[in-house]
Amino acid sequence: DNTSYTSNEGYMIGAAVALYNVTKDSTKIGSACSFANYVSKGTYTGRQVWDTQYPVLLPDINSNTVVGSVDRSILMYRGIFFRYLVDLIGVTNTNISAANKDLYKITITNNAETLWTYGQMPDNKLCGSQWYEPPYKGEYVSTTSLSDPYISKEVIPLEAQIAGAFLFEMKALLN
Protein backbone atom coordinates (compact mmCIF):
# COMPACT_ATOMS: atom_id res chain seq x y z
CA ASP A 1 0.00 0.00 0.00
CA ASN A 2 1.52 3.34 -1.07
CA THR A 3 -0.86 5.41 1.04
CA SER A 4 0.90 8.24 2.86
CA TYR A 5 -0.66 10.44 5.50
CA THR A 6 0.56 13.84 6.66
CA SER A 7 -0.10 12.76 10.25
CA ASN A 8 2.53 10.02 9.92
CA GLU A 9 5.18 12.55 9.00
CA GLY A 10 3.86 14.89 11.70
CA TYR A 11 4.16 12.24 14.38
CA MET A 12 7.68 11.36 13.20
CA ILE A 13 8.67 15.03 13.36
CA GLY A 14 7.22 15.27 16.87
CA ALA A 15 9.00 12.10 18.00
CA ALA A 16 12.33 13.24 16.56
CA VAL A 17 12.03 16.66 18.23
CA ALA A 18 11.13 15.02 21.55
CA LEU A 19 14.13 12.70 21.29
CA TYR A 20 16.37 15.64 20.48
CA ASN A 21 15.07 17.56 23.51
CA VAL A 22 16.05 14.63 25.74
CA THR A 23 19.31 13.51 24.12
CA LYS A 24 20.54 16.67 22.31
CA ASP A 25 21.50 14.31 19.47
CA SER A 26 21.40 16.56 16.38
CA THR A 27 20.84 13.59 14.06
CA LYS A 28 17.27 13.52 15.41
CA ILE A 29 16.70 17.02 14.07
CA GLY A 30 18.12 15.92 10.72
CA SER A 31 15.53 13.14 10.66
CA ALA A 32 12.76 15.57 11.58
CA CYS A 33 13.83 17.89 8.76
CA SER A 34 13.77 14.99 6.30
CA PHE A 35 10.16 14.24 7.24
CA ALA A 36 9.20 17.92 7.09
CA ASN A 37 10.87 18.36 3.71
CA TYR A 38 9.12 15.26 2.41
CA VAL A 39 5.75 16.96 2.86
CA SER A 40 6.74 20.62 2.42
CA LYS A 41 8.45 19.96 -0.90
CA GLY A 42 5.72 17.60 -2.08
CA THR A 43 8.04 14.65 -2.63
CA TYR A 44 5.42 12.01 -1.89
CA THR A 45 5.33 9.02 -4.18
CA GLY A 46 2.10 7.49 -5.33
CA ARG A 47 -0.18 10.52 -4.95
CA GLN A 48 -0.33 14.24 -5.46
CA VAL A 49 0.16 16.11 -2.22
CA TRP A 50 -0.16 19.75 -3.22
CA ASP A 51 -3.03 21.32 -5.12
CA THR A 52 -1.97 22.43 -8.60
CA GLN A 53 -3.64 25.84 -8.41
CA TYR A 54 -3.45 26.82 -4.73
CA PRO A 55 -0.49 26.50 -2.34
CA VAL A 56 -2.26 24.09 0.02
CA LEU A 57 -1.85 20.49 1.06
CA LEU A 58 -4.60 18.33 -0.33
CA PRO A 59 -6.62 16.31 2.17
CA ASP A 60 -5.18 12.90 2.90
CA ILE A 61 -7.05 10.11 1.18
CA ASN A 62 -7.48 6.45 1.85
CA SER A 63 -6.98 4.28 -1.22
CA ASN A 64 -10.06 2.30 -0.17
CA THR A 65 -12.31 5.36 0.11
CA VAL A 66 -15.34 5.45 -2.16
CA VAL A 67 -15.26 8.30 -4.67
CA GLY A 68 -17.35 11.19 -3.35
CA SER A 69 -17.14 10.02 0.23
CA VAL A 70 -15.29 11.40 3.21
CA ASP A 71 -13.33 9.41 5.76
CA ARG A 72 -13.71 12.02 8.47
CA SER A 73 -10.84 10.93 10.70
CA ILE A 74 -8.43 11.61 7.85
CA LEU A 75 -9.52 15.25 7.75
CA MET A 76 -7.54 15.93 10.95
CA TYR A 77 -4.22 14.63 9.63
CA ARG A 78 -2.95 17.89 8.16
CA GLY A 79 -3.51 19.61 11.53
CA ILE A 80 -1.28 17.05 13.22
CA PHE A 81 1.46 17.71 10.66
CA PHE A 82 1.31 21.49 11.20
CA ARG A 83 1.35 21.14 14.99
CA TYR A 84 4.64 19.25 14.99
CA LEU A 85 6.11 21.34 12.17
CA VAL A 86 5.85 24.38 14.46
CA ASP A 87 7.64 22.41 17.20
CA LEU A 88 10.47 21.76 14.73
CA ILE A 89 10.67 25.44 13.75
CA GLY A 90 10.95 26.35 17.44
CA VAL A 91 13.93 24.12 18.15
CA THR A 92 16.98 26.25 18.91
CA ASN A 93 20.72 25.59 18.95
CA THR A 94 20.57 23.10 16.10
CA ASN A 95 21.74 22.82 12.54
CA ILE A 96 18.34 23.50 10.96
CA SER A 97 19.14 25.70 8.00
CA ALA A 98 17.51 29.09 7.62
CA ALA A 99 16.23 27.90 4.23
CA ASN A 100 14.47 24.93 5.84
CA LYS A 101 12.92 27.08 8.56
CA ASP A 102 11.74 29.51 5.91
CA LEU A 103 10.27 26.63 3.87
CA TYR A 104 8.33 25.37 6.90
CA LYS A 105 7.03 28.85 7.72
CA ILE A 106 5.98 29.36 4.09
CA THR A 107 4.22 25.99 4.12
CA ILE A 108 2.19 27.01 7.18
CA THR A 109 1.57 30.56 5.95
CA ASN A 110 0.41 29.53 2.47
CA ASN A 111 -2.02 26.97 3.86
CA ALA A 112 -3.38 29.34 6.52
CA GLU A 113 -3.80 32.28 4.13
CA THR A 114 -5.47 30.13 1.48
CA LEU A 115 -7.86 28.60 4.02
CA TRP A 116 -8.64 32.02 5.50
CA THR A 117 -9.21 33.65 2.11
CA TYR A 118 -10.95 30.90 0.12
CA GLY A 119 -11.78 27.90 2.29
CA GLN A 120 -14.37 29.21 4.74
CA MET A 121 -18.08 29.91 4.62
CA PRO A 122 -18.45 33.70 4.64
CA ASP A 123 -21.27 33.79 7.19
CA ASN A 124 -19.81 31.58 9.92
CA LYS A 125 -16.14 30.96 8.99
CA LEU A 126 -16.54 27.16 9.04
CA CYS A 127 -14.02 25.41 6.84
CA GLY A 128 -14.26 22.22 4.86
CA SER A 129 -11.84 19.56 3.78
CA GLN A 130 -10.64 21.44 0.68
CA TRP A 131 -8.84 24.50 1.98
CA TYR A 132 -9.10 26.42 -1.29
CA GLU A 133 -12.93 26.45 -1.42
CA PRO A 134 -15.81 26.71 1.06
CA PRO A 135 -17.20 23.48 2.49
CA TYR A 136 -19.17 21.18 0.28
CA LYS A 137 -22.88 21.68 0.85
CA GLY A 138 -24.06 18.35 -0.41
CA GLU A 139 -24.56 14.95 1.06
CA TYR A 140 -21.54 13.14 2.44
CA VAL A 141 -21.45 9.40 2.07
CA SER A 142 -20.19 7.45 5.06
CA THR A 143 -17.15 5.26 4.45
CA THR A 144 -17.94 3.06 7.41
CA SER A 145 -20.51 0.32 7.73
CA LEU A 146 -21.69 1.80 11.02
CA SER A 147 -24.75 3.98 11.19
CA ASP A 148 -23.53 7.56 11.50
CA PRO A 149 -26.05 10.19 12.64
CA TYR A 150 -23.77 13.00 11.42
CA ILE A 151 -23.91 11.97 7.77
CA SER A 152 -26.62 14.13 6.28
CA LYS A 153 -27.11 17.12 4.05
CA GLU A 154 -25.42 20.37 5.00
CA VAL A 155 -22.95 18.61 7.30
CA ILE A 156 -19.54 20.14 7.79
CA PRO A 157 -17.37 17.63 9.65
CA LEU A 158 -15.95 18.62 13.03
CA GLU A 159 -12.69 16.96 12.00
CA ALA A 160 -12.25 19.54 9.22
CA GLN A 161 -12.75 22.32 11.79
CA ILE A 162 -10.16 20.78 14.09
CA ALA A 163 -7.53 20.68 11.34
CA GLY A 164 -8.33 24.28 10.35
CA ALA A 165 -8.14 25.42 13.98
CA PHE A 166 -4.80 23.64 14.40
CA LEU A 167 -3.50 25.41 11.32
CA PHE A 168 -4.65 28.86 12.47
CA GLU A 169 -3.25 28.26 15.95
CA MET A 170 0.12 27.21 14.54
CA LYS A 171 0.19 30.23 12.25
CA ALA A 172 -0.51 32.48 15.25
CA LEU A 173 2.35 30.87 17.18
CA LEU A 174 4.75 31.77 14.38
CA ASN A 175 3.92 35.49 14.64
Side-chain angles (χ1 to χ4, degrees), residues 15 25 33 56 64 66 77 90 115 147 167 172:
D25 178 357
C33 288
V56 294
N64 299 320
V66 177
Y77 290 0
L115 176 57
S147 174
L167 174 59

Side-chain angles (χ1 to χ4, degrees), residues 27-144:
T27 63
K28 305 304 181 203
I29 295 302
S31 296
C33 288
S34 294
F35 291 117
N37 291 346
Y38 183 69
V39 175
S40 297
K41 292 181 179 178
T43 52
Y44 273 63
T45 56
R47 80 173 179 91
Q48 182 181 348
V49 130
W50 289 91
D51 181 71
T52 55
Q53 185 176 357
Y54 297 94
V56 294
L57 286 170
L58 293 170
D60 290 299
I61 58 170
N62 179 332
S63 58
N64 299 320
T65 300
V66 177
V67 174
S69 67
V70 174
D71 182 346
R72 293 193 340 252
S73 64
I74 291 177
L75 296 176
M76 293 189 291
Y77 290 0
R78 291 175 290 179
I80 294 165
F81 171 75
F82 289 119
R83 186 250 185 266
Y84 290 113
L85 188 61
V86 167
D87 284 356
L88 177 59
I89 292 169
V91 172
T92 57
N93 302 321
T94 64
N95 57 351
I96 302 175
S97 71
N100 274 348
K101 282 194 176 190
D102 287 344
L103 172 65
Y104 308 152
K105 289 176 184 177
I106 289 167
T107 298
I108 292 169
T109 298
N110 285 347
N111 278 270
E113 288 179 358
T114 301
L115 176 57
W116 186 260
T117 305
Y118 302 108
Q120 300 180 70
M121 296 177 78
D123 54 339
N124 57 22
K125 297 297 183 195
L126 292 175
C127 59
S129 60
Q130 302 289 345
W131 288 353
Y132 53 82
E133 64 186 8
Y136 174 67
K137 284 188 139 185
E139 185 171 358
Y140 287 112
V141 179
S142 178
T143 59
T144 67

